């Protein structure tokens, strides 16, 4: 932690036999005694050699407000290797 964030104070008081008292205190900055070790996560995304799917629609089915759809999965094209640190 940066200096000045954590202070520790010790205080002592004493009373003698005829009730005279004295006290004192001292404060020290202990911010430097604290650290947080954070293993930052990493991730690696790589392209694979998988075959890309073909998506095909028919032009004749998309005239005016008509539409045509096709679907496929592209997930095999990538590999993901996460490391939480």
């Amino acid at each position: 932690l940066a200096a000045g964030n954590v202070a520790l104070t010790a205080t002592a008081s004493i009373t003698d036999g005829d009730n005279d008292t004295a006290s004192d205190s001292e404060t020290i900055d202990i911010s430097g005694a604290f650290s947080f070790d954070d293993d930052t996560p990493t991730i690696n995304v790589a392209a694979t050699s998988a075959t890309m799917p073909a998506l095909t629609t028919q032009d004749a089915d998309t005239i005016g407000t008509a539409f045509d759809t096709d679907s496929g999965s592209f997930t095999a094209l990538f590999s993901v290797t996460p490391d939480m640190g």
Side-chain angles (χ1 to χ4, degrees):
L1 293 175
N5 283 308
V6 180
L8 179 65
T9 302
T11 302
S13 298
I14 190 169
T15 303
D16 67 9
D18 63 355
N19 288 324
D20 294 327
T21 61
S23 64
D24 193 15
S25 65
E26 187 69 34
T27 300
I28 59 173
D29 181 9
I30 62 169
S31 301
F34 294 90
S35 65
F36 298 94
D37 189 13
D38 183 11
D39 296 334
T40 305
T42 59
I43 192 163
N44 182 42
V45 178
T48 68
S49 59
T51 302
M52 188 176 309
L55 302 178
T56 305
T57 61
Q58 299 298 320
D59 286 345
D61 292 337
T62 59
I63 297 172
T65 59
F67 62 92
D68 189 21
T69 63
D70 197 3
S71 64
S73 175
F74 291 85
T75 57
L77 298 175
F78 301 97
S79 68
V80 177
T81 307
D83 183 354
M84 295 306 289

